[in-house]
Amino acid sequence: MAQAHWGCCPWLVLLCALGAWGHPKSVDLTAEDVRNCLISPPYLPVTVVNTTAQLTALRQQMHIQNLFAYIIPETDAHMSEYIGTRDKRRAWMTGFTGSAGTAVVTMGKAGLWTDSRYWTQAERQMDCNWELHKEADIKEDIPGRIVTDRSLTGEPETVPGGSWESYNMALMNSNIKLVSITPNLVDQAWGSEKPLVLSQPIYVLQEAFTGNTWQKKVSDIRSQMQKHPQAPTAVLLSALDETAWLFNLRGSDIPYNPFFYSYTLLTDSSIRLFVNRSCLNSETLKYLNSSCTGSMCVQVEDYSQVRHNVQAYASGNVKIWIGTSYTTYGLYEVIPTEKLIEDTYSPVMVTKAVKNSKEQALLRASHVRDAVAVIRYLVWLEKNVPKGTVDEFSGAELLNKFRGKEQFSSGPSFETISASGLNAALAHYSPTKELHRKLSSDEMYLLDSGGQYWDGTTDITRTVHWGTPSAFQKEAYTRVLIGNIDLSRLVFPANTSGRMMEVFARRALWDVGLNYGHGTGHGIGNFLCVHEWPVGFQYNNIPMAKGMFTSIEPGYYQDGEFGIRLEDVALVVEAKTKYPGSYLTFEVVSLVPYDRNLIDVSLLSPEQLQYLNHYYQTIREKVGPELQQRQLLEEFEWLQQHTEPLSAKAPHTAPLASLLAVSSLAILGCRV
């Protein structure tokens, strides 16, 4: 029986295989910045990584273990979306650094499966040892997974990049077995070059920035355990944001995320926190009541002992409640099936998705300050891009500096997508210090960025054009805007699934034969994940409920020319309806105006125009005073001009330079 191995983490591993390898789909090799493996010698751009040594070392380990295939996901032992440097095994093995994709290595072949967001990036980074396998109509799933729609049935189908559950299902009628071995073979191949674990301090988030005490949160989860029909005696938490949220603790082990490596086993009478104890100072240990052994005392255990502890606990008369989406096979397999209670998401993941009134207020406040930073950047761009001195990378760095000056700032929430012209057609392109383009008044510029603040996490996308956009660009932009507006103003019954309403974001594009290939939105946390599951508009998200925050982000991408995305974060709130009933709608909390230069007002309905003008008035009321109070008078004037009410005959806003020439008296007046 052939065996296949899925490498995941240093001390636990997942093994799986593919029923058939298949053939990679044809690749457009006309662009000079992508590889061409069909000629001799092959053409390889400077961004390609030579992976011969990595593959040789891995295959030697596979031969020793008698493995048929080794599968390397882009995740860590916690199924995280963002991972530490030492967990970037797939990137080290393939050279491809995109955030989604799975590598599969056999003794004779090596392939990478990824979605349309990353096809070009993969062709720029992988050498000819690797086949790129493209899948049509791929959509984002939970971190670590990719799904594609079957063309005939429309039912979601898991493809390489799925979880161990999906591989188990796929292998049921084959002679390939899912097995578990240790140690991780990529780590063995990586050897002494593998980055070391850095001991970063774990700190307590101040009470002013939390919705409840950790004791209240623990009591709430235990209450849910007691009410559960299957009577679980414990909840096992594997996702890093679950433990961070439960104890109101934060760290810096993961880029862009305030997390630390950890697990939690919460039972009906004890609390076990698995973590690097050296990262906890005496104050934090006291905060956790770690010196006692009662039901509200946190027993701090060594991070590496979680598998052993779970296995020992599972030997008793217990039932363990897990969320399968974030539990690796290394933990799952030590719990007897009859002692498992499985849900897609753990009760902690579902509970933290609904923000209480304090958490809502905190997130709203963070978005006001974040809007200030983004507006400062847009004003600066409007003045400096025509000079030809701004590039994608330097621009992104400047925005990070603006955000860093905001109160409670704790860095960006993800790598800034700063994309000019044709680079914007790559939905998740990010520039580097070595590879970037100049910003031009003659091209579109797409900016997708966010910040981490002690009171909230932000994520916003704006697309701008400082010159004369084409008629098609304006139409595409306006239809993306219409999709954003139509979904944002939608009234829907409580507990409606996001996938049932996502079509409203696409309808204006579909009307003329346009579309986009990524998801329409995701949840967002309070100084936690910028992509917080399980909220959103995909098929596997939980129904919308009052108090949830989600992004709304339709887009359009014209290959080789330009890209458009308009993203706002919105809070699910009660809707006022003519007749009694439980209905919800969205309240947008992102507060940056759209580019008037790209809006074709004639395409907007009266209702859409009314909504947009009301949104602009909200921006004025919430961000305007903040700009004035901080004497950011140039930015305040820009805001006033860019939030003027729109009408079917409204002229476009003039560039900032000309505005300043005619409004100096108004600015001076503001200083008095």
Side-chain angles (χ1 to χ4, degrees):
M1 179 177 290
Q3 294 181 342
H5 179 242
W6 174 350
C8 185
C9 58
W11 54 269
L12 62 91
V13 289
L14 305 179
L15 305 190
C16 50
L18 306 178
W21 187 273
H23 299 282
K25 299 201 176 169
S26 60
V27 177
D28 179 7
L29 297 171
T30 58
E32 294 183 358
D33 60 346
V34 299
R35 64 180 183 168
N36 186 345
C37 298
L38 301 179
I39 61 176
S40 182
Y43 170 74
L44 299 176
V46 295
T47 49
V48 156
V49 175
N50 187 331
T51 63
T52 301
Q54 291 94 307
L55 284 168
T56 299
L58 177 60
R59 284 169 173 151
Q60 288 174 348
Q61 298 295 329
M62 292 170 60
H63 178 73
I64 294 172
Q65 298 288 345
N66 191 30
L67 296 176
F68 164 71
Y70 195 90
I71 298 183
I72 311 165
E74 179 60 21
T75 189
D76 58 14
H78 306 271
M79 307 297 284
S80 305
E81 177 183 10
Y82 293 92
I83 59 177
T85 304
R86 68 184 314 275
D87 291 318
K88 294 184 177 180
R89 298 176 177 87
R90 193 219 58 208
W92 178 79
M93 182 60 62
T94 66
F96 169 65
T97 60
S99 63
T102 297
V104 181
V105 179
T106 69
M107 298 305 292
K109 289 186 177 183
L112 175 83
W113 278 256
T114 191
D115 64 73
S116 60
R117 298 171 297 164
Y118 298 103
W119 291 344
T120 300
Q121 181 178 345
E123 295 288 1
R124 289 174 175 173
Q125 294 181 321
M126 295 194 307
D127 63 11
C128 293
N129 286 317
W130 293 88
E131 298 176 355
L132 174 61
H133 291 256
K134 295 182 175 183
E135 295 292 338
D137 300 323
I138 285 185
K139 299 177 181 178
E140 295 175 77
D141 195 353
I142 56 179
R145 298 184 182 183
I146 305 170
V147 296
T148 180
D149 288 343
R150 292 195 181 104
S151 58
L152 296 179
T153 66
E155 298 175 357
E157 174 185 16
T158 304
V159 300
S163 68
W164 54 265
E165 300 169 272
S166 62
Y167 289 119
N168 257 336
M169 293 292 293
L171 298 173
M172 286 181 62
N173 298 317
S174 74
N175 65 342
I176 302 174
K177 184 180 179 182
L178 183 74
V179 298
S180 178
I181 63 170
T182 190
N184 186 287
L185 299 192
V186 174
D187 290 352
Q188 297 286 90
W190 209 339
S192 60
E193 295 181 3
K194 180 180 171 64
L196 299 174
V197 178
L198 300 178
S199 297
Q200 302 289 346
I202 299 171
Y203 59 93
V204 178
L205 187 61
Q206 297 176 30
E207 186 177 344
F209 303 111
T210 64
N212 276 311
T213 65
W214 70 261
Q215 292 91 341
K216 174 66 170 62
K217 293 178 179 180
V218 165
S219 297
D220 179 43
I221 300 304
R222 281 177 171 159
S223 176
Q224 294 184 47
M225 292 165 58
Q226 294 169 2
K227 296 175 183 177
H228 196 288
Q230 297 184 57
T233 62
V235 173
L236 176 61
L237 305 179
S238 294
L240 298 182
D241 58 329
E242 293 179 311
T243 291
W245 176 87
L246 183 66
F247 296 112
N248 295 327
L249 295 175
R250 299 295 188 269
S252 54
D253 289 348
I254 308 297
Y256 307 112
N257 293 268
F259 304 148
F260 49 94
Y261 290 111
S262 58
Y263 294 92
T264 297
L265 183 64
L266 173 63
T267 78
D268 49 12
S269 60
S270 67
I271 310 169
R272 301 183 201 180
L273 171 61
F274 300 89
V275 71
N276 182 349
R277 190 183 182 96
S278 67
C279 298
L280 300 170
N281 62 27
S282 58
E283 290 184 4
T284 305
L285 290 171
K286 182 179 179 181
Y287 162 83
L288 293 171
N289 297 334
S290 63
S291 60
C292 58
T293 58
S295 63
M296 295 303 291
C297 303
V298 180
Q299 303 170 37
V300 178
E301 307 277 359
D302 188 80
Y303 173 79
S304 65
Q305 295 302 305
V306 63
R307 177 180 163 107
H308 171 75
N309 272 259
V310 170
Q311 188 171 24
Y313 179 79
S315 65
N317 183 24
V318 299
K319 284 192 175 181
I320 304 175
W321 193 1
I322 68 169
T324 56
S325 295
Y326 292 90
T327 305
T328 56
Y329 190 68
L331 288 178
Y332 181 89
E333 70 173 351
V334 302
I335 307 172
T337 303
E338 67 274 11
K339 298 182 180 183
L340 268 173
I341 299 174
E342 302 178 46
D343 280 323
T344 303
Y345 304 104
S346 79
V348 167
M349 192 67 74
V350 174
T351 300
K352 73 179 176 61
V354 178
K355 277 61 175 176
N356 61 30
S357 58
K358 181 180 178 182
E359 291 168 323
Q360 293 174 28
L362 289 168
L363 262 169
R364 284 192 181 99
S366 70
H367 279 81
V368 172
R369 297 193 309 280
D370 195 71
V372 171
V374 175
I375 288 170
R376 291 184 69 184
Y377 179 57
L378 292 176
V379 170
W380 184 88
L381 286 178
E382 196 166 299
K383 293 188 298 181
N384 287 278
V385 168
K387 300 176 184 177
T389 58
V390 186
D391 63 61
E392 296 166 330
F393 184 77
S394 65
E397 284 195 316
L398 179 61
L399 177 57
N400 288 339
K401 289 180 181 178
F402 281 141
R403 277 201 171 96
K405 294 178 181 179
E406 293 301 317
Q407 190 178 27
F408 310 137
S409 174
S410 186
S413 58
F414 59 96
E415 186 177 14
T416 299
I417 297 171
S418 174
S420 177
L422 57 86
N423 283 341
L426 307 174
H428 284 68
Y429 161 89
S430 290
T432 66
K433 188 174 183 179
E434 297 75 24
L435 294 171
H436 53 256
R437 297 181 79 245
K438 282 286 184 70
L439 271 61
S440 169
S441 298
D442 299 323
E443 292 183 326
M444 278 190 176
Y445 174 60
L446 188 155
L447 175 72
D448 186 348
S449 65
Q452 289 285 11
Y453 304 91
W454 295 346
D455 51 351
T457 303
T458 68
D459 185 4
I460 185 171
T461 308
R462 291 294 182 263
T463 306
V464 297
H465 195 304
W466 299 282
T468 305
S470 68
F472 176 59
Q473 288 175 330
K474 290 186 65 173
E475 179 183 1
Y477 181 96
T478 306
R479 291 186 179 278
V480 171
L481 175 60
I482 290 172
N484 183 299
I485 291 173
D486 285 352
L487 185 51
S488 298
R489 62 187 290 267
L490 183 67
V491 175
F492 54 93
N495 295 316
T496 299
S497 171
R499 67 189 177 98
M500 299 296 293
M501 58 183 85
E502 194 230 20
V503 64
F504 286 89
R506 299 179 184 268
R507 184 174 59 181
L509 290 165
W510 287 357
D511 282 344
V512 293
L514 304 179
N515 201 5
Y516 55 93
H518 55 74
T520 296
H522 53 80
I524 195 162
N526 279 80
F527 192 30
L528 287 168
C529 290
V530 70
H531 297 154
E532 184 176 79
W533 291 82
V535 177
F537 297 95
Q538 281 82 305
Y539 80 95
N540 58 328
N541 291 136
I542 61 177
M544 291 289 179
K546 179 183 175 182
M548 291 179 174
F549 281 84
T550 182
S551 71
I552 295 174
E553 49 181 303
Y556 174 72
Y557 309 91
Q558 184 71 17
D559 289 345
E561 295 185 30
F562 64 88
I564 301 163
R565 186 160 63 252
L566 297 174
E567 176 184 16
D568 295 306
V569 172
L571 168 65
V572 181
V573 297
E574 289 184 1
K576 296 179 180 179
T577 55
K578 181 177 180 181
Y579 301 105
S582 183
Y583 284 81
L584 303 173
T585 188
F586 297 106
E587 173 197 327
V588 174
V589 298
S590 301
L591 298 168
V592 178
Y594 310 112
D595 187 4
R596 299 166 75 93
N597 191 35
L598 282 164
I599 300 175
D600 183 349
V601 181
S602 67
L603 294 177
L604 300 178
S605 70
E607 293 79 14
Q608 292 160 352
L609 190 59
Q610 181 183 26
Y611 172 90
L612 184 57
N613 287 332
H614 181 267
Y615 172 59
Y616 279 178
Q617 182 61 33
T618 301
I619 295 176
R620 284 189 171 198
E621 293 172 356
K622 294 186 176 181
V623 182
E626 184 77 11
L627 294 172
Q628 288 180 301
Q629 180 182 351
R630 292 162 57 176
Q631 293 294 299
L632 295 172
L633 305 179
E634 186 177 358
E635 288 79 3
F636 175 76
E637 181 62 24
W638 182 94
L639 180 68
Q640 294 297 101
Q641 293 288 340
H642 284 256
T643 54
E644 283 289 333
L646 286 163
S647 66
K649 297 182 180 179
H652 297 308
T653 301
L656 180 65
S658 60
L659 288 175
L660 294 178
V662 300
S663 59
S664 58
L665 291 177
I667 295 176
L668 290 173
C670 291
R671 291 175 178 158
V672 177

